[in-house]
Amino acid sequence: MIEDEKIIGLFFERSEQAIRELDNKYGKIFHDLSYNIVNSRQDAEECVNDAYLGAWNAIPPAHPTPLLSYIVKIVRNISLKLYWKKEAVKRNSIYTIAMQEIEACIADHRTVEDEIEARELSGIIEEFLHTLTVKERVIFMRRYAYIDTYADIAKRVGISKKNVSVRLTLIRQKLKQYLIEREVLI
């Protein structure tokens, strides 16, 4: 596999090879993430292609480090926009289910005035993640950042789907308690 710096270099050279290398290295991650949000292979393909175009237009001047996180964010944002556009009425994708699970722990921050509080909350959640074991952190992040299914997480970490479900329930309870102790509105 080609190194991220070389891929970024290809973007700076305006070589179309950059997109091919990016897709070869991380395409499956991008497609799985998008599919887990939009629940359609065709829509996921469109979202990933739009993300590649977004990366092409942003690099240069941007020099993202790490590259994977940068493109994941683009894919997630494009997928979420499409999700809300097409699926808002149905509310049935893996993404919706994952967000319903976590929403009981986190207050809704939709106004501009809450932007600072949202950043503070993000920092508190980061601190919370450091209190978890590596396995718990992987389970939490795979579910709520990458929107993986219980089955996908179970396969990745080598435990049963039921165990993933139980662990996520316990982690959400810990998160809720952690937020209460830090006087975050729930």
Side-chain angles (χ1 to χ4, degrees):
M1 288 272 167
I2 189 169
E3 304 256 341
D4 287 359
E5 277 303 315
K6 290 182 180 175
I7 295 173
I8 293 170
L10 291 170
F11 274 104
F12 273 83
E13 293 170 10
R14 304 314 288 161
S15 170
E16 292 179 16
Q17 184 67 24
I19 301 295
R20 285 189 288 278
E21 294 295 342
L22 183 65
D23 189 57
N24 287 340
K25 188 167 185 179
Y26 297 121
K28 181 170 177 9
I29 294 169
F30 303 148
H31 284 87
D32 288 350
L33 170 63
S34 185
Y35 177 78
N36 285 343
I37 295 172
V38 298
N39 208 23
S40 159
R41 293 282 175 213
Q42 184 177 2
D43 288 344
E45 182 71 28
E46 182 181 325
C47 290
V48 170
N49 287 336
D50 288 350
Y52 290 158
L53 177 62
W56 181 262
N57 291 332
I59 307 170
H63 191 283
T65 305
L67 180 61
L68 175 61
S69 297
Y70 184 81
I71 308 299
V72 160
K73 185 175 180 181
I74 295 171
V75 171
R76 185 181 311 131
N77 288 342
I78 290 170
S79 299
L80 287 172
K81 284 180 186 174
L82 183 63
Y83 168 81
W84 288 115
K85 180 180 175 188
K86 289 185 149 193
E87 301 292 330
V89 175
K90 294 180 187 177
R91 304 269 196 260
N92 67 348
S93 77
I94 295 167
Y95 171 75
T96 303
I97 295 165
M99 292 303 102
Q100 287 170 346
E101 291 171 355
I102 196 74
E103 74 182 0
C105 299
I106 301 172
D108 187 9
H109 295 288
R110 294 187 186 195
T111 65
V112 175
E113 293 80 22
D114 289 335
E115 183 71 25
I116 293 172
E117 288 179 21
R119 286 190 182 141
E120 289 174 5
L121 177 61
S122 176
I124 291 170
I125 291 173
E126 263 187 59
E127 291 169 9
F128 168 74
L129 290 174
H130 290 294
T131 70
L132 301 175
T133 66
V134 172
K135 188 178 260 187
E136 288 174 328
R137 197 174 315 135
V138 168
I139 291 169
F140 185 88
M141 293 302 295
R142 293 307 306 185
R143 181 65 177 166
Y144 301 116
Y146 290 93
I147 321 299
D148 283 354
T149 64
Y150 287 8
D152 291 339
I153 296 167
K155 189 173 168 184
R156 180 176 290 273
V157 298
I159 59 177
S160 70
K161 277 177 39 177
K162 181 66 176 167
N163 197 316
V164 169
S165 174
V166 169
R167 286 180 185 229
L168 282 168
T169 298
L170 294 173
I171 293 168
R172 287 192 306 270
Q173 289 170 352
K174 284 183 192 177
L175 174 59
K176 189 172 185 175
Q177 187 59 42
Y178 193 85
L179 294 173
I180 289 169
E181 289 169 4
R182 277 136 194 88
E183 300 178 354
V184 174
L185 291 176
I186 297 179

mmCIF file with all atom_site columns, all heavy atoms in Angstrom, residues 106-131:
data_model
loop_
_atom_site.group_PDB
_atom_site.id
_atom_site.type_symbol
_atom_site.label_atom_id
_atom_site.label_alt_id
_atom_site.label_comp_id
_atom_site.label_asym_id
_atom_site.label_entity_id
_atom_site.label_seq_id
_atom_site.pdbx_PDB_ins_code
_atom_site.Cartn_x
_atom_site.Cartn_y
_atom_site.Cartn_z
_atom_site.occupancy
_atom_site.B_iso_or_equiv
_atom_site.pdbx_formal_charge
_atom_site.auth_seq_id
_atom_site.auth_comp_id
_atom_site.auth_asym_id
_atom_site.auth_atom_id
_atom_site.pdbx_PDB_model_num
ATOM 1   N N   . ILE A 1 106 ? -26.732 12.239 25.555 1.00 0.00 ? 106 ILE A N   1
ATOM 2   C CA  . ILE A 1 106 ? -26.210 13.538 25.130 1.00 0.00 ? 106 ILE A CA  1
ATOM 3   C C   . ILE A 1 106 ? -27.361 14.497 24.853 1.00 0.00 ? 106 ILE A C   1
ATOM 4   O O   . ILE A 1 106 ? -28.304 14.160 24.152 1.00 0.00 ? 106 ILE A O   1
ATOM 5   C CB  . ILE A 1 106 ? -25.354 13.380 23.866 1.00 0.00 ? 106 ILE A CB  1
ATOM 6   C CG1 . ILE A 1 106 ? -24.200 12.418 24.143 1.00 0.00 ? 106 ILE A CG1 1
ATOM 7   C CG2 . ILE A 1 106 ? -24.828 14.709 23.383 1.00 0.00 ? 106 ILE A CG2 1
ATOM 8   C CD1 . ILE A 1 106 ? -23.402 12.035 22.933 1.00 0.00 ? 106 ILE A CD1 1
ATOM 9   N N   . ALA A 1 107 ? -27.243 15.693 25.371 1.00 0.00 ? 107 ALA A N   1
ATOM 10  C CA  . ALA A 1 107 ? -28.251 16.718 25.125 1.00 0.00 ? 107 ALA A CA  1
ATOM 11  C C   . ALA A 1 107 ? -28.195 17.150 23.657 1.00 0.00 ? 107 ALA A C   1
ATOM 12  O O   . ALA A 1 107 ? -27.168 17.052 23.004 1.00 0.00 ? 107 ALA A O   1
ATOM 13  C CB  . ALA A 1 107 ? -28.007 17.918 26.025 1.00 0.00 ? 107 ALA A CB  1
ATOM 14  N N   . ASP A 1 108 ? -29.308 17.644 23.138 1.00 0.00 ? 108 ASP A N   1
ATOM 15  C CA  . ASP A 1 108 ? -29.400 18.084 21.754 1.00 0.00 ? 108 ASP A CA  1
ATOM 16  C C   . ASP A 1 108 ? -28.774 19.471 21.610 1.00 0.00 ? 108 ASP A C   1
ATOM 17  O O   . ASP A 1 108 ? -29.173 20.404 22.288 1.00 0.00 ? 108 ASP A O   1
ATOM 18  C CB  . ASP A 1 108 ? -30.883 18.113 21.363 1.00 0.00 ? 108 ASP A CB  1
ATOM 19  C CG  . ASP A 1 108 ? -31.073 18.401 19.887 1.00 0.00 ? 108 ASP A CG  1
ATOM 20  O OD1 . ASP A 1 108 ? -30.084 18.421 19.138 1.00 0.00 ? 108 ASP A OD1 1
ATOM 21  O OD2 . ASP A 1 108 ? -32.225 18.588 19.493 1.00 0.00 ? 108 ASP A OD2 1
ATOM 22  N N   . HIS A 1 109 ? -27.798 19.618 20.703 1.00 0.00 ? 109 HIS A N   1
ATOM 23  C CA  . HIS A 1 109 ? -27.108 20.893 20.491 1.00 0.00 ? 109 HIS A CA  1
ATOM 24  C C   . HIS A 1 109 ? -27.318 21.355 19.061 1.00 0.00 ? 109 HIS A C   1
ATOM 25  O O   . HIS A 1 109 ? -26.445 21.244 18.227 1.00 0.00 ? 109 HIS A O   1
ATOM 26  C CB  . HIS A 1 109 ? -25.602 20.733 20.761 1.00 0.00 ? 109 HIS A CB  1
ATOM 27  C CG  . HIS A 1 109 ? -25.310 20.411 22.178 1.00 0.00 ? 109 HIS A CG  1
ATOM 28  N ND1 . HIS A 1 109 ? -25.432 21.317 23.186 1.00 0.00 ? 109 HIS A ND1 1
ATOM 29  C CD2 . HIS A 1 109 ? -24.921 19.257 22.761 1.00 0.00 ? 109 HIS A CD2 1
ATOM 30  C CE1 . HIS A 1 109 ? -25.110 20.750 24.324 1.00 0.00 ? 109 HIS A CE1 1
ATOM 31  N NE2 . HIS A 1 109 ? -24.809 19.492 24.093 1.00 0.00 ? 109 HIS A NE2 1
ATOM 32  N N   . ARG A 1 110 ? -28.467 21.935 18.769 1.00 0.00 ? 110 ARG A N   1
ATOM 33  C CA  . ARG A 1 110 ? -28.772 22.304 17.394 1.00 0.00 ? 110 ARG A CA  1
ATOM 34  C C   . ARG A 1 110 ? -28.726 23.803 17.136 1.00 0.00 ? 110 ARG A C   1
ATOM 35  O O   . ARG A 1 110 ? -28.804 24.217 16.011 1.00 0.00 ? 110 ARG A O   1
ATOM 36  C CB  . ARG A 1 110 ? -30.145 21.772 17.003 1.00 0.00 ? 110 ARG A CB  1
ATOM 37  C CG  . ARG A 1 110 ? -30.150 20.259 16.977 1.00 0.00 ? 110 ARG A CG  1
ATOM 38  C CD  . ARG A 1 110 ? -31.416 19.724 16.438 1.00 0.00 ? 110 ARG A CD  1
ATOM 39  N NE  . ARG A 1 110 ? -31.394 18.279 16.578 1.00 0.00 ? 110 ARG A NE  1
ATOM 40  C CZ  . ARG A 1 110 ? -32.203 17.474 15.964 1.00 0.00 ? 110 ARG A CZ  1
ATOM 41  N NH1 . ARG A 1 110 ? -33.114 17.931 15.174 1.00 0.00 ? 110 ARG A NH1 1
ATOM 42  N NH2 . ARG A 1 110 ? -32.109 16.185 16.143 1.00 0.00 ? 110 ARG A NH2 1
ATOM 43  N N   . THR A 1 111 ? -28.609 24.617 18.159 1.00 0.00 ? 111 THR A N   1
ATOM 44  C CA  . THR A 1 111 ? -28.596 26.055 17.927 1.00 0.00 ? 111 THR A CA  1
ATOM 45  C C   . THR A 1 111 ? -27.164 26.572 17.848 1.00 0.00 ? 111 THR A C   1
ATOM 46  O O   . THR A 1 111 ? -26.234 25.953 18.367 1.00 0.00 ? 111 THR A O   1
ATOM 47  C CB  . THR A 1 111 ? -29.348 26.804 19.050 1.00 0.00 ? 111 THR A CB  1
ATOM 48  O OG1 . THR A 1 111 ? -28.624 26.622 20.265 1.00 0.00 ? 111 THR A OG1 1
ATOM 49  C CG2 . THR A 1 111 ? -30.772 26.310 19.190 1.00 0.00 ? 111 THR A CG2 1
ATOM 50  N N   . VAL A 1 112 ? -26.999 27.705 17.216 1.00 0.00 ? 112 VAL A N   1
ATOM 51  C CA  . VAL A 1 112 ? -25.682 28.319 17.087 1.00 0.00 ? 112 VAL A CA  1
ATOM 52  C C   . VAL A 1 112 ? -25.114 28.651 18.465 1.00 0.00 ? 112 VAL A C   1
ATOM 53  O O   . VAL A 1 112 ? -23.914 28.481 18.707 1.00 0.00 ? 112 VAL A O   1
ATOM 54  C CB  . VAL A 1 112 ? -25.768 29.600 16.214 1.00 0.00 ? 112 VAL A CB  1
ATOM 55  C CG1 . VAL A 1 112 ? -24.444 30.313 16.162 1.00 0.00 ? 112 VAL A CG1 1
ATOM 56  C CG2 . VAL A 1 112 ? -26.263 29.254 14.820 1.00 0.00 ? 112 VAL A CG2 1
ATOM 57  N N   . GLU A 1 113 ? -25.977 29.075 19.375 1.00 0.00 ? 113 GLU A N   1
ATOM 58  C CA  . GLU A 1 113 ? -25.543 29.444 20.719 1.00 0.00 ? 113 GLU A CA  1
ATOM 59  C C   . GLU A 1 113 ? -24.912 28.265 21.470 1.00 0.00 ? 113 GLU A C   1
ATOM 60  O O   . GLU A 1 113 ? -24.110 28.442 22.371 1.00 0.00 ? 113 GLU A O   1
ATOM 61  C CB  . GLU A 1 113 ? -26.713 29.995 21.546 1.00 0.00 ? 113 GLU A CB  1
ATOM 62  C CG  . GLU A 1 113 ? -27.259 31.317 21.053 1.00 0.00 ? 113 GLU A CG  1
ATOM 63  C CD  . GLU A 1 113 ? -28.196 31.163 19.861 1.00 0.00 ? 113 GLU A CD  1
ATOM 64  O OE1 . GLU A 1 113 ? -28.766 30.070 19.656 1.00 0.00 ? 113 GLU A OE1 1
ATOM 65  O OE2 . GLU A 1 113 ? -28.336 32.133 19.101 1.00 0.00 ? 113 GLU A OE2 1
ATOM 66  N N   . ASP A 1 114 ? -25.278 27.059 21.095 1.00 0.00 ? 114 ASP A N   1
ATOM 67  C CA  . ASP A 1 114 ? -24.767 25.879 21.780 1.00 0.00 ? 114 ASP A CA  1
ATOM 68  C C   . ASP A 1 114 ? -23.453 25.365 21.190 1.00 0.00 ? 114 ASP A C   1
ATOM 69  O O   . ASP A 1 114 ? -22.932 24.344 21.641 1.00 0.00 ? 114 ASP A O   1
ATOM 70  C CB  . ASP A 1 114 ? -25.809 24.758 21.739 1.00 0.00 ? 114 ASP A CB  1
ATOM 71  C CG  . ASP A 1 114 ? -27.007 25.050 22.621 1.00 0.00 ? 114 ASP A CG  1
ATOM 72  O OD1 . ASP A 1 114 ? -26.851 25.819 23.597 1.00 0.00 ? 114 ASP A OD1 1
ATOM 73  O OD2 . ASP A 1 114 ? -28.088 24.516 22.344 1.00 0.00 ? 114 ASP A OD2 1
ATOM 74  N N   . GLU A 1 115 ? -22.916 26.058 20.195 1.00 0.00 ? 115 GLU A N   1
ATOM 75  C CA  . GLU A 1 115 ? -21.685 25.606 19.531 1.00 0.00 ? 115 GLU A CA  1
ATOM 76  C C   . GLU A 1 115 ? -20.533 25.431 20.521 1.00 0.00 ? 115 GLU A C   1
ATOM 77  O O   . GLU A 1 115 ? -19.834 24.415 20.494 1.00 0.00 ? 115 GLU A O   1
ATOM 78  C CB  . GLU A 1 115 ? -21.282 26.601 18.438 1.00 0.00 ? 115 GLU A CB  1
ATOM 79  C CG  . GLU A 1 115 ? -20.060 26.193 17.657 1.00 0.00 ? 115 GLU A CG  1
ATOM 80  C CD  . GLU A 1 115 ? -20.305 25.014 16.733 1.00 0.00 ? 115 GLU A CD  1
ATOM 81  O OE1 . GLU A 1 115 ? -21.450 24.794 16.328 1.00 0.00 ? 115 GLU A OE1 1
ATOM 82  O OE2 . GLU A 1 115 ? -19.324 24.311 16.437 1.00 0.00 ? 115 GLU A OE2 1
ATOM 83  N N   . ILE A 1 116 ? -20.341 26.382 21.399 1.00 0.00 ? 116 ILE A N   1
ATOM 84  C CA  . ILE A 1 116 ? -19.252 26.286 22.374 1.00 0.00 ? 116 ILE A CA  1
ATOM 85  C C   . ILE A 1 116 ? -19.493 25.120 23.313 1.00 0.00 ? 116 ILE A C   1
ATOM 86  O O   . ILE A 1 116 ? -18.574 24.348 23.607 1.00 0.00 ? 116 ILE A O   1
ATOM 87  C CB  . ILE A 1 116 ? -19.091 27.613 23.155 1.00 0.00 ? 116 ILE A CB  1
ATOM 88  C CG1 . ILE A 1 116 ? -18.608 28.703 22.205 1.00 0.00 ? 116 ILE A CG1 1
ATOM 89  C CG2 . ILE A 1 116 ? -18.137 27.445 24.334 1.00 0.00 ? 116 ILE A CG2 1
ATOM 90  C CD1 . ILE A 1 116 ? -18.600 30.081 22.799 1.00 0.00 ? 116 ILE A CD1 1
ATOM 91  N N   . GLU A 1 117 ? -20.721 24.967 23.764 1.00 0.00 ? 117 GLU A N   1
ATOM 92  C CA  . GLU A 1 117 ? -21.048 23.845 24.640 1.00 0.00 ? 117 GLU A CA  1
ATOM 93  C C   . GLU A 1 117 ? -20.816 22.516 23.927 1.00 0.00 ? 117 GLU A C   1
ATOM 94  O O   . GLU A 1 117 ? -20.362 21.552 24.539 1.00 0.00 ? 117 GLU A O   1
ATOM 95  C CB  . GLU A 1 117 ? -22.488 23.943 25.133 1.00 0.00 ? 117 GLU A CB  1
ATOM 96  C CG  . GLU A 1 117 ? -22.709 25.043 26.149 1.00 0.00 ? 117 GLU A CG  1
ATOM 97  C CD  . GLU A 1 117 ? -24.158 25.122 26.595 1.00 0.00 ? 117 GLU A CD  1
ATOM 98  O OE1 . GLU A 1 117 ? -24.899 24.129 26.446 1.00 0.00 ? 117 GLU A OE1 1
ATOM 99  O OE2 . GLU A 1 117 ? -24.550 26.187 27.092 1.00 0.00 ? 117 GLU A OE2 1
ATOM 100 N N   . ALA A 1 118 ? -21.115 22.470 22.630 1.00 0.00 ? 118 ALA A N   1
ATOM 101 C CA  . ALA A 1 118 ? -20.895 21.242 21.862 1.00 0.00 ? 118 ALA A CA  1
ATOM 102 C C   . ALA A 1 118 ? -19.412 20.905 21.811 1.00 0.00 ? 118 ALA A C   1
ATOM 103 O O   . ALA A 1 118 ? -19.026 19.738 21.936 1.00 0.00 ? 118 ALA A O   1
ATOM 104 C CB  . ALA A 1 118 ? -21.469 21.381 20.458 1.00 0.00 ? 118 ALA A CB  1
ATOM 105 N N   . ARG A 1 119 ? -18.567 21.913 21.650 1.00 0.00 ? 119 ARG A N   1
ATOM 106 C CA  . ARG A 1 119 ? -17.120 21.675 21.634 1.00 0.00 ? 119 ARG A CA  1
ATOM 107 C C   . ARG A 1 119 ? -16.643 21.196 23.002 1.00 0.00 ? 119 ARG A C   1
ATOM 108 O O   . ARG A 1 119 ? -15.795 20.304 23.089 1.00 0.00 ? 119 ARG A O   1
ATOM 109 C CB  . ARG A 1 119 ? -16.382 22.941 21.228 1.00 0.00 ? 119 ARG A CB  1
ATOM 110 C CG  . ARG A 1 119 ? -16.515 23.241 19.751 1.00 0.00 ? 119 ARG A CG  1
ATOM 111 C CD  . ARG A 1 119 ? -15.606 24.351 19.314 1.00 0.00 ? 119 ARG A CD  1
ATOM 112 N NE  . ARG A 1 119 ? -15.836 24.608 17.897 1.00 0.00 ? 119 ARG A NE  1
ATOM 113 C CZ  . ARG A 1 119 ? -15.857 25.798 17.361 1.00 0.00 ? 119 ARG A CZ  1
ATOM 114 N NH1 . ARG A 1 119 ? -15.631 26.858 18.096 1.00 0.00 ? 119 ARG A NH1 1
ATOM 115 N NH2 . ARG A 1 119 ? -16.070 25.943 16.074 1.00 0.00 ? 119 ARG A NH2 1
ATOM 116 N N   . GLU A 1 120 ? -17.178 21.792 24.058 1.00 0.00 ? 120 GLU A N   1
ATOM 117 C CA  . GLU A 1 120 ? -16.822 21.348 25.404 1.00 0.00 ? 120 GLU A CA  1
ATOM 118 C C   . GLU A 1 120 ? -17.279 19.907 25.622 1.00 0.00 ? 120 GLU A C   1
ATOM 119 O O   . GLU A 1 120 ? -16.554 19.094 26.197 1.00 0.00 ? 120 GLU A O   1
ATOM 120 C CB  . GLU A 1 120 ? -17.441 22.264 26.453 1.00 0.00 ? 120 GLU A CB  1
ATOM 121 C CG  . GLU A 1 120 ? -16.792 23.634 26.511 1.00 0.00 ? 120 GLU A CG  1
ATOM 122 C CD  . GLU A 1 120 ? -17.507 24.588 27.467 1.00 0.00 ? 120 GLU A CD  1
ATOM 123 O OE1 . GLU A 1 120 ? -18.459 24.161 28.156 1.00 0.00 ? 120 GLU A OE1 1
ATOM 124 O OE2 . GLU A 1 120 ? -17.097 25.758 27.513 1.00 0.00 ? 120 GLU A OE2 1
ATOM 125 N N   . LEU A 1 121 ? -18.489 19.593 25.155 1.00 0.00 ? 121 LEU A N   1
ATOM 126 C CA  . LEU A 1 121 ? -19.002 18.235 25.267 1.00 0.00 ? 121 LEU A CA  1
ATOM 127 C C   . LEU A 1 121 ? -18.098 17.259 24.517 1.00 0.00 ? 121 LEU A C   1
ATOM 128 O O   . LEU A 1 121 ? -17.789 16.175 25.014 1.00 0.00 ? 121 LEU A O   1
ATOM 129 C CB  . LEU A 1 121 ? -20.433 18.149 24.734 1.00 0.00 ? 121 LEU A CB  1
ATOM 130 C CG  . LEU A 1 121 ? -21.073 16.769 24.733 1.00 0.00 ? 121 LEU A CG  1
ATOM 131 C CD1 . LEU A 1 121 ? -21.157 16.203 26.142 1.00 0.00 ? 121 LEU A CD1 1
ATOM 132 C CD2 . LEU A 1 121 ? -22.449 16.829 24.091 1.00 0.00 ? 121 LEU A CD2 1
ATOM 133 N N   . SER A 1 122 ? -17.659 17.660 23.348 1.00 0.00 ? 122 SER A N   1
ATOM 134 C CA  . SER A 1 122 ? -16.750 16.824 22.570 1.00 0.00 ? 122 SER A CA  1
ATOM 135 C C   . SER A 1 122 ? -15.478 16.526 23.359 1.00 0.00 ? 122 SER A C   1
ATOM 136 O O   . SER A 1 122 ? -15.007 15.384 23.393 1.00 0.00 ? 122 SER A O   1
ATOM 137 C CB  . SER A 1 122 ? -16.411 17.519 21.257 1.00 0.00 ? 122 SER A CB  1
ATOM 138 O OG  . SER A 1 122 ? -15.478 16.779 20.533 1.00 0.00 ? 122 SER A OG  1
ATOM 139 N N   . GLY A 1 123 ? -14.938 17.542 24.013 1.00 0.00 ? 123 GLY A N   1
ATOM 140 C CA  . GLY A 1 123 ? -13.745 17.349 24.840 1.00 0.00 ? 123 GLY A CA  1
ATOM 141 C C   . GLY A 1 123 ? -14.003 16.414 26.008 1.00 0.00 ? 123 GLY A C   1
ATOM 142 O O   . GLY A 1 123 ? -13.159 15.565 26.338 1.00 0.00 ? 123 GLY A O   1
ATOM 143 N N   . ILE A 1 124 ? -15.158 16.552 26.631 1.00 0.00 ? 124 ILE A N   1
ATOM 144 C CA  . ILE A 1 124 ? -15.515 15.684 27.767 1.00 0.00 ? 124 ILE A CA  1
ATOM 145 C C   . ILE A 1 124 ? -15.664 14.239 27.294 1.00 0.00 ? 124 ILE A C   1
ATOM 146 O O   . ILE A 1 124 ? -15.210 13.307 27.965 1.00 0.00 ? 124 ILE A O   1
ATOM 147 C CB  . ILE A 1 124 ? -16.796 16.197 28.461 1.00 0.00 ? 124 ILE A CB  1
ATOM 148 C CG1 . ILE A 1 124 ? -16.498 17.522 29.170 1.00 0.00 ? 124 ILE A CG1 1
ATOM 149 C CG2 . ILE A 1 124 ? -17.341 15.164 29.441 1.00 0.00 ? 124 ILE A CG2 1
ATOM 150 C CD1 . ILE A 1 124 ? -17.737 18.247 29.680 1.00 0.00 ? 124 ILE A CD1 1
ATOM 151 N N   . ILE A 1 125 ? -16.284 14.049 26.134 1.00 0.00 ? 125 ILE A N   1
ATOM 152 C CA  . ILE A 1 125 ? -16.447 12.699 25.607 1.00 0.00 ? 125 ILE A CA  1
ATOM 153 C C   . ILE A 1 125 ? -15.075 12.101 25.267 1.00 0.00 ? 125 ILE A C   1
ATOM 154 O O   . ILE A 1 125 ? -14.834 10.921 25.514 1.00 0.00 ? 125 ILE A O   1
ATOM 155 C CB  . ILE A 1 125 ? -17.405 12.669 24.398 1.00 0.00 ? 125 ILE A CB  1
ATOM 156 C CG1 . ILE A 1 125 ? -18.834 12.981 24.883 1.00 0.00 ? 125 ILE A CG1 1
ATOM 157 C CG2 . ILE A 1 125 ? -17.350 11.330 23.679 1.00 0.00 ? 125 ILE A CG2 1
ATOM 158 C CD1 . ILE A 1 125 ? -19.852 13.144 23.786 1.00 0.00 ? 125 ILE A CD1 1
ATOM 159 N N   . GLU A 1 126 ? -14.178 12.917 24.730 1.00 0.00 ? 126 GLU A N   1
ATOM 160 C CA  . GLU A 1 126 ? -12.811 12.437 24.470 1.00 0.00 ? 126 GLU A CA  1
ATOM 161 C C   . GLU A 1 126 ? -12.152 11.980 25.763 1.00 0.00 ? 126 GLU A C   1
ATOM 162 O O   . GLU A 1 126 ? -11.503 10.930 25.812 1.00 0.00 ? 126 GLU A O   1
ATOM 163 C CB  . GLU A 1 126 ? -11.969 13.542 23.835 1.00 0.00 ? 126 GLU A CB  1
ATOM 164 C CG  . GLU A 1 126 ? -11.889 13.460 22.349 1.00 0.00 ? 126 GLU A CG  1
ATOM 165 C CD  . GLU A 1 126 ? -10.916 14.467 21.780 1.00 0.00 ? 126 GLU A CD  1
ATOM 166 O OE1 . GLU A 1 126 ? -9.721  14.433 22.135 1.00 0.00 ? 126 GLU A OE1 1
ATOM 167 O OE2 . GLU A 1 126 ? -11.372 15.277 20.959 1.00 0.00 ? 126 GLU A OE2 1
ATOM 168 N N   . GLU A 1 127 ? -12.308 12.781 26.827 1.00 0.00 ? 127 GLU A N   1
ATOM 169 C CA  . GLU A 1 127 ? -11.760 12.395 28.133 1.00 0.00 ? 127 GLU A CA  1
ATOM 170 C C   . GLU A 1 127 ? -12.383 11.068 28.597 1.00 0.00 ? 127 GLU A C   1
ATOM 171 O O   . GLU A 1 127 ? -11.690 10.196 29.111 1.00 0.00 ? 127 GLU A O   1
ATOM 172 C CB  . GLU A 1 127 ? -12.036 13.475 29.178 1.00 0.00 ? 127 GLU A CB  1
ATOM 173 C CG  . GLU A 1 127 ? -11.278 14.765 28.966 1.00 0.00 ? 127 GLU A CG  1
ATOM 174 C CD  . GLU A 1 127 ? -11.786 15.889 29.870 1.00 0.00 ? 127 GLU A CD  1
ATOM 175 O OE1 . GLU A 1 127 ? -12.614 15.618 30.775 1.00 0.00 ? 127 GLU A OE1 1
ATOM 176 O OE2 . GLU A 1 127 ? -11.360 17.036 29.658 1.00 0.00 ? 127 GLU A OE2 1
ATOM 177 N N   . PHE A 1 128 ? -13.697 10.945 28.408 1.00 0.00 ? 128 PHE A N   1
ATOM 178 C CA  . PHE A 1 128 ? -14.388 9.724  28.801 1.00 0.00 ? 128 PHE A CA  1
ATOM 179 C C   . PHE A 1 128 ? -13.819 8.515  28.054 1.00 0.00 ? 128 PHE A C   1
ATOM 180 O O   . PHE A 1 128 ? -13.604 7.448  28.653 1.00 0.00 ? 128 PHE A O   1
ATOM 181 C CB  . PHE A 1 128 ? -15.898 9.843  28.527 1.00 0.00 ? 128 PHE A CB  1
ATOM 182 C CG  . PHE A 1 128 ? -16.625 8.536  28.635 1.00 0.00 ? 128 PHE A CG  1
ATOM 183 C CD1 . PHE A 1 128 ? -16.882 7.967  29.868 1.00 0.00 ? 128 PHE A CD1 1
ATOM 184 C CD2 . PHE A 1 128 ? -17.043 7.858  27.494 1.00 0.00 ? 128 PHE A CD2 1
ATOM 185 C CE1 . PHE A 1 128 ? -17.548 6.751  29.974 1.00 0.00 ? 128 PHE A CE1 1
ATOM 186 C CE2 . PHE A 1 128 ? -17.710 6.641  27.592 1.00 0.00 ? 128 PHE A CE2 1
ATOM 187 C CZ  . PHE A 1 128 ? -17.955 6.092  28.838 1.00 0.00 ? 128 PHE A CZ  1
ATOM 188 N N   . LEU A 1 129 ? -13.563 8.675  26.765 1.00 0.00 ? 129 LEU A N   1
ATOM 189 C CA  . LEU A 1 129 ? -13.046 7.564  25.974 1.00 0.00 ? 129 LEU A CA  1
ATOM 190 C C   . LEU A 1 129 ? -11.718 7.055  26.523 1.00 0.00 ? 129 LEU A C   1
ATOM 191 O O   . LEU A 1 129 ? -11.425 5.858  26.446 1.00 0.00 ? 129 LEU A O   1
ATOM 192 C CB  . LEU A 1 129 ? -12.900 7.965  24.506 1.00 0.00 ? 129 LEU A CB  1
ATOM 193 C CG  . LEU A 1 129 ? -14.219 8.164  23.749 1.00 0.00 ? 129 LEU A CG  1
ATOM 194 C CD1 . LEU A 1 129 ? -13.954 8.705  22.359 1.00 0.00 ? 129 LEU A CD1 1
ATOM 195 C CD2 . LEU A 1 129 ? -15.028 6.879  23.692 1.00 0.00 ? 129 LEU A CD2 1
ATOM 196 N N   . HIS A 1 130 ? -10.925 7.945  27.115 1.00 0.00 ? 130 HIS A N   1
ATOM 197 C CA  . HIS A 1 130 ? -9.647  7.536  27.692 1.00 0.00 ? 130 HIS A CA  1
ATOM 198 C C   . HIS A 1 130 ? -9.819  6.730  28.981 1.00 0.00 ? 130 HIS A C   1
ATOM 199 O O   . HIS A 1 130 ? -8.874  6.092  29.431 1.00 0.00 ? 130 HIS A O   1
ATOM 200 C CB  . HIS A 1 130 ? -8.744  8.752  27.927 1.00 0.00 ? 130 HIS A CB  1
ATOM 201 C CG  . HIS A 1 130 ? -8.249  9.358  26.651 1.00 0.00 ? 130 HIS A CG  1
ATOM 202 N ND1 . HIS A 1 130 ? -7.402  8.712  25.788 1.00 0.00 ? 130 HIS A ND1 1
ATOM 203 C CD2 . HIS A 1 130 ? -8.518  10.549 26.074 1.00 0.00 ? 130 HIS A CD2 1
ATOM 204 C CE1 . HIS A 1 130 ? -7.150  9.480  24.754 1.00 0.00 ? 130 HIS A CE1 1
ATOM 205 N NE2 . HIS A 1 130 ? -7.826  10.602 24.893 1.00 0.00 ? 130 HIS A NE2 1
ATOM 206 N N   . THR A 1 131 ? -11.026 6.745  29.563 1.00 0.00 ? 131 THR A N   1
ATOM 207 C CA  . THR A 1 131 ? -11.271 5.943  30.758 1.00 0.00 ? 131 THR A CA  1
ATOM 208 C C   . THR A 1 131 ? -11.655 4.506  30.400 1.00 0.00 ? 131 THR A C   1
ATOM 209 O O   . THR A 1 131 ? -11.710 3.658  31.279 1.00 0.00 ? 131 THR A O   1
ATOM 210 C CB  . THR A 1 131 ? -12.398 6.550  31.630 1.00 0.00 ? 131 THR A CB  1
ATOM 211 O OG1 . THR A 1 131 ? -13.655 6.401  30.949 1.00 0.00 ? 131 THR A OG1 1
ATOM 212 C CG2 . THR A 1 131 ? -12.127 8.010  31.955 1.00 0.00 ? 131 THR A CG2 1
#
